[in-house]
PDB file of all heavy atoms in Angstrom:
ATOM      1  N   VAL A 471      -1.768  19.590 -21.662  1.00  0.00           N
ATOM      2  CA  VAL A 471      -0.740  20.364 -22.354  1.00  0.00           C
ATOM      3  C   VAL A 471       0.126  19.388 -23.149  1.00  0.00           C
ATOM      4  O   VAL A 471       0.716  18.474 -22.574  1.00  0.00           O
ATOM      5  CB  VAL A 471       0.142  21.149 -21.359  1.00  0.00           C
ATOM      6  CG1 VAL A 471       1.159  22.002 -22.118  1.00  0.00           C
ATOM      7  CG2 VAL A 471      -0.716  22.014 -20.454  1.00  0.00           C
ATOM      8  N   ASP A 472       0.198  19.576 -24.462  1.00  0.00           N
ATOM      9  CA  ASP A 472       0.930  18.646 -25.321  1.00  0.00           C
ATOM     10  C   ASP A 472       2.424  18.966 -25.354  1.00  0.00           C
ATOM     11  O   ASP A 472       2.989  19.267 -26.406  1.00  0.00           O
ATOM     12  CB  ASP A 472       0.348  18.663 -26.735  1.00  0.00           C
ATOM     13  CG  ASP A 472       0.865  17.488 -27.574  1.00  0.00           C
ATOM     14  OD1 ASP A 472       1.309  16.494 -26.976  1.00  0.00           O
ATOM     15  OD2 ASP A 472       0.820  17.586 -28.815  1.00  0.00           O
ATOM     16  N   MET A 473       3.028  18.918 -24.185  1.00  0.00           N
ATOM     17  CA  MET A 473       4.481  19.046 -24.052  1.00  0.00           C
ATOM     18  C   MET A 473       4.873  18.379 -22.741  1.00  0.00           C
ATOM     19  O   MET A 473       4.019  18.125 -21.885  1.00  0.00           O
ATOM     20  CB  MET A 473       4.927  20.517 -24.064  1.00  0.00           C
ATOM     21  CG  MET A 473       4.493  21.320 -22.854  1.00  0.00           C
ATOM     22  SD  MET A 473       5.017  23.069 -22.936  1.00  0.00           S
ATOM     23  CE  MET A 473       6.801  22.901 -22.891  1.00  0.00           C
ATOM     24  N   TYR A 474       6.147  18.077 -22.597  1.00  0.00           N
ATOM     25  CA  TYR A 474       6.598  17.409 -21.381  1.00  0.00           C
ATOM     26  C   TYR A 474       6.687  18.397 -20.219  1.00  0.00           C
ATOM     27  O   TYR A 474       7.071  19.555 -20.401  1.00  0.00           O
ATOM     28  CB  TYR A 474       7.948  16.749 -21.598  1.00  0.00           C
ATOM     29  CG  TYR A 474       7.911  15.607 -22.593  1.00  0.00           C
ATOM     30  CD1 TYR A 474       8.762  15.586 -23.695  1.00  0.00           C
ATOM     31  CD2 TYR A 474       7.023  14.544 -22.432  1.00  0.00           C
ATOM     32  CE1 TYR A 474       8.724  14.544 -24.609  1.00  0.00           C
ATOM     33  CE2 TYR A 474       6.981  13.498 -23.338  1.00  0.00           C
ATOM     34  CZ  TYR A 474       7.829  13.499 -24.425  1.00  0.00           C
ATOM     35  OH  TYR A 474       7.781  12.472 -25.333  1.00  0.00           O
ATOM     36  N   ALA A 475       6.350  17.926 -19.030  1.00  0.00           N
ATOM     37  CA  ALA A 475       6.406  18.779 -17.842  1.00  0.00           C
ATOM     38  C   ALA A 475       7.833  19.257 -17.573  1.00  0.00           C
ATOM     39  O   ALA A 475       8.040  20.370 -17.094  1.00  0.00           O
ATOM     40  CB  ALA A 475       5.865  18.022 -16.629  1.00  0.00           C
ATOM     41  N   THR A 476       8.817  18.417 -17.890  1.00  0.00           N
ATOM     42  CA  THR A 476      10.205  18.823 -17.679  1.00  0.00           C
ATOM     43  C   THR A 476      10.567  20.011 -18.567  1.00  0.00           C
ATOM     44  O   THR A 476      11.301  20.912 -18.149  1.00  0.00           O
ATOM     45  CB  THR A 476      11.160  17.650 -17.984  1.00  0.00           C
ATOM     46  OG1 THR A 476      10.811  17.066 -19.253  1.00  0.00           O
ATOM     47  CG2 THR A 476      11.070  16.575 -16.911  1.00  0.00           C
ATOM     48  N   ALA A 477      10.041  20.027 -19.795  1.00  0.00           N
ATOM     49  CA  ALA A 477      10.296  21.153 -20.698  1.00  0.00           C
ATOM     50  C   ALA A 477       9.631  22.420 -20.180  1.00  0.00           C
ATOM     51  O   ALA A 477      10.218  23.510 -20.234  1.00  0.00           O
ATOM     52  CB  ALA A 477       9.793  20.831 -22.100  1.00  0.00           C
ATOM     53  N   MET A 478       8.422  22.295 -19.652  1.00  0.00           N
ATOM     54  CA  MET A 478       7.738  23.450 -19.084  1.00  0.00           C
ATOM     55  C   MET A 478       8.501  23.992 -17.876  1.00  0.00           C
ATOM     56  O   MET A 478       8.622  25.207 -17.690  1.00  0.00           O
ATOM     57  CB  MET A 478       6.313  23.079 -18.703  1.00  0.00           C
ATOM     58  CG  MET A 478       5.541  24.196 -17.983  1.00  0.00           C
ATOM     59  SD  MET A 478       5.440  25.735 -18.956  1.00  0.00           S
ATOM     60  CE  MET A 478       4.186  25.279 -20.166  1.00  0.00           C
ATOM     61  N   LYS A 479       9.013  23.081 -17.048  1.00  0.00           N
ATOM     62  CA  LYS A 479       9.784  23.514 -15.871  1.00  0.00           C
ATOM     63  C   LYS A 479      11.035  24.278 -16.298  1.00  0.00           C
ATOM     64  O   LYS A 479      11.410  25.268 -15.664  1.00  0.00           O
ATOM     65  CB  LYS A 479      10.156  22.311 -15.013  1.00  0.00           C
ATOM     66  CG  LYS A 479       8.993  21.752 -14.212  1.00  0.00           C
ATOM     67  CD  LYS A 479       9.439  20.642 -13.281  1.00  0.00           C
ATOM     68  CE  LYS A 479       8.298  20.180 -12.390  1.00  0.00           C
ATOM     69  NZ  LYS A 479       8.698  19.123 -11.446  1.00  0.00           N
ATOM     70  N   ARG A 480      11.669  23.818 -17.382  1.00  0.00           N
ATOM     71  CA  ARG A 480      12.851  24.545 -17.887  1.00  0.00           C
ATOM     72  C   ARG A 480      12.454  25.932 -18.363  1.00  0.00           C
ATOM     73  O   ARG A 480      13.159  26.917 -18.103  1.00  0.00           O
ATOM     74  CB  ARG A 480      13.510  23.759 -19.022  1.00  0.00           C
ATOM     75  CG  ARG A 480      14.351  22.584 -18.564  1.00  0.00           C
ATOM     76  CD  ARG A 480      15.262  22.093 -19.672  1.00  0.00           C
ATOM     77  NE  ARG A 480      14.526  21.640 -20.844  1.00  0.00           N
ATOM     78  CZ  ARG A 480      14.113  20.393 -21.010  1.00  0.00           C
ATOM     79  NH1 ARG A 480      14.364  19.489 -20.086  1.00  0.00           N
ATOM     80  NH2 ARG A 480      13.463  20.033 -22.100  1.00  0.00           N
ATOM     81  N   GLN A 481      11.321  26.012 -19.075  1.00  0.00           N
ATOM     82  CA  GLN A 481      10.849  27.312 -19.558  1.00  0.00           C
ATOM     83  C   GLN A 481      10.564  28.255 -18.399  1.00  0.00           C
ATOM     84  O   GLN A 481      10.933  29.435 -18.425  1.00  0.00           O
ATOM     85  CB  GLN A 481       9.591  27.135 -20.404  1.00  0.00           C
ATOM     86  CG  GLN A 481       9.830  26.557 -21.782  1.00  0.00           C
ATOM     87  CD  GLN A 481       8.558  26.556 -22.624  1.00  0.00           C
ATOM     88  OE1 GLN A 481       7.546  27.167 -22.254  1.00  0.00           O
ATOM     89  NE2 GLN A 481       8.593  25.869 -23.759  1.00  0.00           N
ATOM     90  N   LEU A 482       9.904  27.744 -17.368  1.00  0.00           N
ATOM     91  CA  LEU A 482       9.574  28.566 -16.208  1.00  0.00           C
ATOM     92  C   LEU A 482      10.828  29.018 -15.483  1.00  0.00           C
ATOM     93  O   LEU A 482      10.922  30.165 -15.023  1.00  0.00           O
ATOM     94  CB  LEU A 482       8.656  27.785 -15.255  1.00  0.00           C
ATOM     95  CG  LEU A 482       7.252  27.471 -15.781  1.00  0.00           C
ATOM     96  CD1 LEU A 482       6.518  26.560 -14.808  1.00  0.00           C
ATOM     97  CD2 LEU A 482       6.465  28.764 -16.011  1.00  0.00           C
TER      98      LEU A 482
END
Side-chain angles (χ1 to χ4, degrees):
V471 183
D472 193 21
M473 68 181 296
Y474 294 126
T476 48
M478 175 58 76
K479 285 185 175 181
R480 282 196 299 270
Q481 286 186 11
L482 293 173

